[in-house]
Amino acid sequence: MQKFEIIKAEEQDLPGILEIYAYARGFMKKTGNAFQWKDSYPPEELVAEDIRAGQLYVIKEKAVIHGVFTFFIGEDPTYARIEQGRWLSDEVYGTIHRVAGDGTVHGILGAAVTFAEQQIRHLRIDTHKDNKVMQHLIKKNGFRECGIIYTGDGSPRIAYEKL
């Protein structure tokens, strides 16, 4: 496995991060997932807000940013209600969101999960029903499918948890 450096994103990283998200949107469309992020998610304002909040991380190899993800510990409002299943635990958890890579290296999600587990063992993540690539990677990284949650705009997502 490749050795990555994971650090908090800084404002000067924003252009490169936006390029990674643009690449990820294109990849999702090519692999049958045209609706999860559509043409503009995440918006620049949300990415900048994540940077200011200190919860956006970049994954680097040899000083080049290859991946990005949001991570925080504490309650995620989108996980307050789950349908067609249940959470494995109600204990404090960490959430991984908006994972994306530039397509040049493998192991971005694995690196994000390893980093998050060093902060807290209990993790949650979700993805769109059409995102078969991410569903496979999430399960490969030890998460269990728990049910369906809904994003802020009411869109359903498959929810996963790892203890």
Side-chain angles (χ1 to χ4, degrees):
M1 181 164 200
Q2 294 168 322
K3 183 70 173 164
F4 295 115
E5 175 188 20
I6 298 178
I7 58 172
K8 286 187 179 183
E10 298 179 355
E11 283 188 37
Q12 65 263 26
D13 299 326
L14 188 58
I17 291 168
L18 295 175
E19 286 179 25
I20 288 172
Y21 281 129
Y23 170 83
R25 287 190 298 271
F27 177 81
M28 283 194 252
K29 286 179 185 175
K30 286 185 218 167
T31 57
N33 181 23
F35 302 105
Q36 182 173 355
W37 284 0
K38 299 181 182 143
D39 293 324
S40 61
Y41 190 85
E44 183 173 345
E45 304 80 42
L46 179 58
V47 177
E49 182 181 311
D50 283 344
I51 292 171
R52 284 191 297 277
Q55 62 188 28
L56 189 70
Y57 294 84
V58 292
I59 300 173
K60 292 182 169 187
E61 182 184 53
K62 298 180 182 170
V64 176
I65 298 174
H66 291 289
V68 61
F69 65 98
T70 300
F71 172 72
F72 61 91
I73 296 172
E75 197 166 316
D76 183 327
T78 60
Y79 294 160
R81 181 177 70 125
I82 187 167
E83 296 179 354
Q84 300 175 38
R86 65 178 197 81
W87 294 114
L88 303 173
S89 172
D90 292 327
E91 296 298 317
V92 175
Y93 58 90
T95 300
I96 300 171
H97 280 311
R98 297 186 280 285
V99 180
D102 66 1
T104 64
V105 299
H106 295 286
I108 296 296
L109 179 61
V113 170
T114 298
F115 173 84
E117 285 180 316
Q118 292 170 352
Q119 319 303 309
I120 188 168
R121 300 289 299 167
H122 183 195
L123 300 174
R124 292 182 180 174
I125 193 169
D126 64 85
T127 196
H128 193 278
K129 68 178 176 58
D130 293 339
N131 197 339
K132 303 299 184 193
V133 172
M134 185 58 89
Q135 289 172 39
H136 168 75
L137 293 172
I138 289 170
K139 289 176 185 173
K140 180 180 173 184
N141 279 278
F143 286 84
R144 289 181 46 198
E145 188 173 324
C146 292
I148 304 297
I149 58 97
Y150 296 88
T151 62
D153 69 2
S155 302
R157 296 289 186 267
I158 303 169
Y160 299 85
E161 191 166 30
K162 183 175 184 179
L163 296 174

